[in-house]
Amino acid sequence: MPLSTRLTEYFGVKHPIISAPMALASGGVLAAAVSRAGGLGLIGGGYGDVHWLNEQFEAAGNQSVGCGFITWSLRKNPSLLDDVLSRRPKCLFLSFDDPEPFASLSHAQGIPVICQIQTVKDAARAIEVGAEVIVAQGSEAGGHGEKRSTFTLVPEVADLIAAKSADTILCAAGGVADGRGIAAALMLGADGVVVGSRFWASAEALVHPRMHQAAIAADGDDTVRSRVMDIVRAIEWPERFTARVLRNSFIDKWHGNEANLHTHIADEARRWRQAWTDGDVTVANTFVGEAVGLIHTIQPVQEIIEQLTNEAERIIRDHAKGI
Ligand SMILES: Cc1cc2nc3c(=O)[nH]c(=O)nc-3n(C[C@H](O)[C@H](O)[C@H](O)COP(=O)(O)O)c2cc1C
């Protein structure tokens, strides 16, 4: 029996799983595969390239998918939102900055809004702007995020929702890569999960094969939160956010030594960009979360969703029987 929750009912999907809108990695093929397998698939709008986004919506074909944006970056190029909303995505996912005015613009078109937050204060703001879904993202997560852990942030936001806005749906993000993670998230008060790293490690993700291999060889101790990658890419992330990546010799050299990195930036940026293109994981960073230690194979999305949901359903069934 599939797990039915407020999330599955609201979006009319089979499983309480949303795929994270991962910049560069979550294209239309991945998003469509997730929706086809019974989850809610999202295209990662990332830093906002209109041609890339158009290609990805085409690649998703007639599957219903949503789209996510890095909110502070969308603010620099707000017309992108009109393009995306005109495609009638299943939802708009906003993360990393105040959701307005984008939440209101989306609501005006009848498109539900998912706000990913990293603090209780931002969860309160998401309630204020009428987000249909709040995603509480813990620091275990791959990619950008902040400091709170999933295990305490999710129940704290669940309490806030219960007190202030009982109809708001809650998802957990950060560290969910198997059925145990889904079951735990539901026990903490979530209605579903946002899964990034596990779908990043799928056959459909837009990821260099060497990065996939590096992730398979790594365990959860091998990741670190850093801003070194944003410095070399010249992406001006707000100070509060860092990104979780696999450690490598580049990180070991520059993490904690950022001031010095600025003095070598031209050469180091060139070296990093070339390594990204080549899939040289000793220099370019593999963006993935602590859950990397739970990921041992690159599989098609359909198989991943079957495994995650079968395991979660079994755990919850056995738990109910007191086994
Ligand atoms: C490679 C990668 C890229 C990501 N890019 C984005 C992004 O562009 N926008 C966003 O809101 N979240 C992004 N995230 C974070 C996810 O939304 C989500 O919070 C996270 O993946 C959940 O944790 P997990 O990786 O342990 O599943 C990214 C995550 C990964 C792994």
Side-chain angles (χ1 to χ4, degrees), residues 20-23 70 93 95-96 116 137 141-143 173-175 195-197 200 287:
M22 295 173 282
I70 294 167
F93 185 109
S95 191
F96 312 120
Q116 179 166 261
Q137 185 208 38
V195 173
S197 296
W200 173 93
F287 286 72

Side-chain angles (χ1 to χ4, degrees), residues 15 45 70 73 97 165 171 178 183 232 236-237 250 268 278 303:
H15 302 299
I70 294 167
S73 179
D97 200 2
S165 177
C171 287
D178 61 20
V232 287
E236 290 183 5
W237 271 85
F250 194 83
E268 289 302 83
D278 298 344
E303 275 179 34

Side-chain angles (χ1 to χ4, degrees), residues 6-47:
R6 297 191 309 161
L7 181 75
T8 60
E9 279 161 23
Y10 183 78
F11 284 111
V13 295
K14 189 171 170 198
H15 302 299
I17 299 178
I18 299 176
S19 64
M22 295 173 282
L24 309 172
S26 297
V29 171
L30 172 59
V34 171
S35 291
R36 198 176 305 114
L40 170 52
L42 300 190
I43 291 173
Y47 302 99

Side-chain angles (χ1 to χ4, degrees), residues 7 28 45 81 112 208-209 252 275 291 303:
L7 181 75
L81 188 67
H208 198 290
D252 289 343
E303 275 179 34

